[in-house]
Amino acid sequence: MDSYLVCYDISNPKRLRKVARTCEDFGYRKQLSVFLVRVSATDFVRLRSRLYDIIDLSEDQVLFIPLSEQGLQRMEAIGRPTDPHDKNDVVMIL
């Protein structure tokens, strides 16, 4: 399993909701437009493909930032606390 921070900037509210729902299928919301996903290589391809089909390539952007396990463990927040997740978390993809 690989971990990614998925961040997006979507200009259309309808596409924005679809992108958020798709990311919820693969990971955990960390902020309004930021998700932490832990996926196999196959599921990462599926996630990218689904998002590619939703977004407008000329107006929207989705970033996939790979995270190392060490970097993930060192994640910290200021302000509101962030929910901790560990490598045993399970994501159900329907």
Side-chain angles (χ1 to χ4, degrees), residues 11 13 15 22 34 41 59 61 71 73 84:
S11 62
R15 289 195 309 270
T22 299
V34 179
E59 296 182 4
Q61 183 182 63
Q73 295 301 321

Side-chain angles (χ1 to χ4, degrees), residues 5 28-32 34-36 75 82-85:
L5 208 55
Y28 304 95
R29 185 185 295 269
K30 300 302 283 182
Q31 293 184 344
L32 288 178
V34 179
F35 280 77
L36 174 62
M75 184 184 310
T82 186
D83 296 330
H85 297 287

Side-chain angles (χ1 to χ4, degrees), residues 4-62:
Y4 296 89
L5 208 55
V6 180
C7 316
Y8 50 82
D9 184 11
I10 308 298
S11 62
N12 176 281
K14 186 175 179 180
R15 289 195 309 270
L16 175 65
R17 286 189 295 275
K18 287 182 178 180
V19 166
R21 282 194 301 266
T22 299
C23 289
E24 287 171 347
D25 289 344
F26 291 86
Y28 304 95
R29 185 185 295 269
K30 300 302 283 182
Q31 293 184 344
L32 288 178
S33 299
V34 179
F35 280 77
L36 174 62
V37 299
R38 291 187 173 160
V39 290
S40 66
T42 303
D43 284 338
F44 183 65
V45 170
R46 291 174 55 202
L47 171 62
R48 285 182 51 146
S49 175
R50 284 178 57 183
L51 293 174
Y52 186 89
D53 290 343
I54 296 168
I55 70 169
D56 180 326
L57 297 176
S58 66
E59 296 182 4
D60 304 330
Q61 183 182 63
V62 179

